[in-house]
Each structure stands twice: as C-alpha cells, then as structure tokens.
Amino acid sequence: MNEVEKLIDDEVNEYRKSQETKENETKEQLFTYLLAGYSLVKFKDWLEKKWDKSDRKKMKKSTAKLEKLVDEINEVVEPGETKDFFELVDYKRIEDITSDFVDDVLEYYQKRQKIAEKVPDKAEYLKEFVGTYDKYMANVPYFRNGKVYSWHTLSDYTTMIYNTNLTRAGWNRTLTDAEKTDNTLLYIPAHPYACPRCMEWQGKYYSSKKNDVYPYVGNALDGGLGHPNCKHVPTIAQTSMQMQTNTYDSPEWAEKYKTQQKIMAVERTKAKLRTDLSIYQKLGDQTQIDLCKAKIKKLNEKNRELKASL
C-alpha cells in the first residue's frame, strides 16, 4: 500500500472505530438506563451529548493532509485551488444520518420503556431484545440504480461517505495537478488486498485525456475503480517512476482479499459481542453470559486461523 492509500486507510479506520465505539456505547447505555428505570428525558440528555460532536473539522483536516501528500508525490511546488472533477458528498449527509439515528434510538427506548415499566421483571423482559437491537438499527438504505441495494448501520454508511470523500479529494488533486502541469500520464498504484472490482485496473499507466497513447483513466472508473470503499488514487507518472512488478491481481490475492474481509467482519462481531456480554452481565442472564464468552472464544480461534492463512 502506497503512502496515499495508507493515509486514507488510517484516517478512515480511525473514523470507523470512533463511530462503532459510540454505537456500542449507545446500545449498552440504552439497556442500562431501561433496567434502572430512568426517564426518556434523562436518556435523551445522555444520548444527545454522546452524538452532538460533528467530525466535519476532522474530515477537512484529513482532506487537507491528503491533498498535501498527493501534491508532494506529484512534485507540485505551488498547489493552488483544487478543481472539483468529482463531487464530494456534502458532510450534512453524515449529520442527517446521525440525527436520524438519535431519533430512532429514542423511539426504541420509549417503546421498550412503556412495557418495561409494567412487567414484574424488567431484566427478563429486556434480555429478549439484546440480540435483535443491532438488526433494528441497521436501517440506513444504500441505493443503486434508484432502488435500495442494501441496508447499513450508521457507522458503516458514514464511513463509506468518509472514505468516498477522501478518495475523490485525492483524484481531484491529481487531476488538478495534471492539468496545471500539462501532464496527462497517470499511474494507479497497486496494493495488496484490493477488491475484485479494482484488481484488474491497478498497477497500470493511464491518460487523463481520451484518445491518447495510454488507456483513458475514465475506463478504469467505469470498470469498477472508485467505488464507495475504494482507496485507489492516481498520481502523475514521474520520470523516475517504474511500473510495479507485483500488481497483486492473481487469484491468490483475490482469495487473500476475501480472507481479510472475513477478519474485519470477525473483529466487528467480537466488539458487538463484548457489548452484549456487558449488557447480559447487568441483566443477570448467566446463560447468555456463557454463550457470549463461548462465541468470543470461537471467533478468536477463527481469526487466528484466518490470519495464519494470509
């Protein structure tokens, strides 16, 4: 993974971890407050404080850091203003999704609270919803061709936006630099664990203009490069640059990509299970406590096997 892609990966992973942590903390606090019999107003106060901080400034800093690095690699001394070859997603979209999430959590709390106050055993009632809460909150739609293609959690969807904006900012910077320096030759670096949609397009030279000696870079975008979670960013091909000998596009690397995705999924599942474990401990459900511990142990073993196969 080159410097640009590593920077995007680091910034995006930091953002994802922050969002997932807040999601898990919200779930645990929801059940804790319900068990304690706290009012909706008290929970709302806690929830809004947890989610009131916008990461708009963080995204701007990440973008500025990325553009500076791209300019350095492109050997541009006087960067100038970046042209919007690709439109960035308005950060208000993330803020709207967050606002909807807060509203949904409050609605969920209110529904459970109305019944929890009437039943003789709150813990017994609440434990039935610990396992279904996450599915209920995975309610952010992702549209493709005008139809809902999939449903996502807040952390998953907002991380896609964060990643998309950083990658597009990198493309905009390189295309601006190419236009400014009148250099049409671009190179898309190859990196390990590229997804199948990107694999065939990485590690090759392209032209920023159509009908040139090298293939038009737009063909790579039409072919799958630049999808919401893509981290490939072209750079101006310098005279000292040589094509990579390993473009990581073999069937073996395709399998390694799948393995890495499984590892990431296991880690997210473990984080959710640790949250559930804490909730079940507060509810006093020993059966579920033992089950969560067993699942976490099994996932640890699975991850060790997956990592060993890379």
Side-chain angles (χ1 to χ4, degrees):
M1 186 173 287
N2 70 5
E3 290 179 88
V4 173
E5 288 154 1
K6 185 178 185 306
L7 189 152
I8 294 174
D9 196 53
D10 289 345
E11 296 290 318
V12 169
N13 283 339
E14 181 182 339
Y15 177 79
R16 175 188 283 278
K17 186 176 180 180
S18 172
Q19 292 290 84
E20 289 177 344
T21 298
K22 288 199 292 184
E23 276 183 325
N24 289 330
E25 288 173 348
T26 295
K27 178 180 180 179
E28 182 170 355
Q29 199 75 335
L30 179 143
F31 282 95
T32 301
Y33 272 42
L34 283 172
L35 182 63
Y38 291 152
S39 67
L40 177 65
V41 173
K42 187 176 180 67
F43 178 66
K44 182 180 179 182
D45 182 59
W46 178 89
L47 185 66
E48 290 180 343
K49 286 179 181 178
K50 171 61 66 174
W51 291 95
D52 69 346
K53 184 181 177 182
S54 172
D55 288 306
R56 186 185 288 265
K57 289 183 179 179
K58 174 176 170 50
M59 180 175 281
K60 287 183 178 179
K61 287 182 180 180
S62 296
T63 302
K65 190 189 302 184
L66 175 69
E67 290 179 340
K68 183 175 182 294
L69 177 60
V70 172
D71 280 333
E72 290 174 358
I73 293 174
N74 289 338
E75 298 182 1
V76 173
V77 180
E78 299 178 4
E81 188 175 346
T82 305
K83 285 191 174 183
D84 293 330
F85 290 91
F86 298 96
E87 183 180 3
L88 272 60
V89 181
D90 191 331
Y91 195 86
K92 189 176 183 302
R93 176 64 177 141
I94 288 181
E95 293 172 339
D96 288 344
I97 291 172
T98 303
S99 177
D100 289 343
F101 171 82
V102 170
D103 289 343
D104 290 342
V105 172
L106 288 174
E107 182 182 356
Y108 188 93
Y109 189 92
Q110 190 172 28
K111 285 181 179 179
R112 300 282 78 84
Q113 185 187 43
K114 284 181 179 179
I115 301 175
E117 289 175 344
K118 299 175 182 178
V119 298
D121 191 335
K122 283 184 183 179
E124 188 67 22
Y125 167 72
L126 292 173
K127 72 179 185 180
E128 299 299 322
F129 301 97
V130 179
T132 59
Y133 171 89
D134 294 326
K135 186 177 181 180
Y136 179 86
M137 295 307 300
N139 58 6
V140 185
Y142 173 68
F143 290 89
R144 182 182 290 182
N145 299 324
K147 296 181 180 180
V148 176
Y149 179 76
S150 54
W151 295 92
H152 298 264
T153 61
L154 172 144
S155 61
D156 193 31
Y157 199 93
T158 57
T159 298
M160 275 199 300
I161 294 176
Y162 205 97
N163 189 102
T164 296
N165 278 357
L166 285 183
T167 301
R168 287 182 181 178
W171 277 80
N172 286 342
R173 192 63 242 170
T174 283
L175 292 176
T176 298
D177 291 344
E179 186 177 275
K180 184 175 182 178
T181 58
D182 196 27
N183 191 336
T184 61
L185 185 58
L186 308 177
Y187 183 71
I188 295 179
H191 64 74
Y193 311 112
C195 77
R197 295 174 66 183
C198 299
M199 197 172 284
E200 66 174 296
W201 306 104
Q202 64 177 5
K204 296 177 182 178
Y205 290 108
Y206 295 91
S207 174
S208 61
K209 295 183 178 181
K210 295 180 180 179
N211 303 317
D212 207 344
V213 177
Y214 287 90
Y216 176 50
V217 72
N219 296 340
L221 292 169
D222 292 340
L225 205 70
H227 58 84
N229 283 317
C230 182
K231 294 175 176 60
H232 286 94
V233 173
T235 55
I236 294 176
Q238 307 297 336
T239 54
S240 60
M241 182 182 290
Q242 293 183 358
M243 185 179 290
Q244 293 163 274
T245 55
N246 189 348
T247 52
Y248 307 103
D249 56 357
S250 66
E252 180 185 358
W253 277 108
E255 287 303 313
K256 287 186 176 184
Y257 164 79
K258 294 178 183 178
T259 300
Q260 189 195 48
Q261 293 299 303
K262 290 177 183 178
I263 291 172
M264 292 168 62
V266 167
E267 290 299 330
R268 288 195 288 271
T269 301
K270 281 167 54 182
K272 290 181 181 297
L273 281 171
R274 284 192 289 268
T275 298
D276 290 354
L277 174 60
S278 180
I279 294 171
Y280 284 127
Q281 287 172 334
K282 291 174 182 177
L283 295 176
D285 189 334
Q286 192 59 48
T287 299
Q288 290 297 331
I289 290 172
D290 294 340
L291 185 59
C292 282
K293 288 181 177 179
K295 286 181 178 178
I296 292 171
K297 182 179 179 181
K298 189 173 181 179
L299 287 174
N300 283 333
E301 293 171 355
K302 183 178 181 180
N303 247 5
R304 283 194 290 270
E305 292 175 3
L306 289 170
K307 289 177 180 179
S309 67
L310 285 177

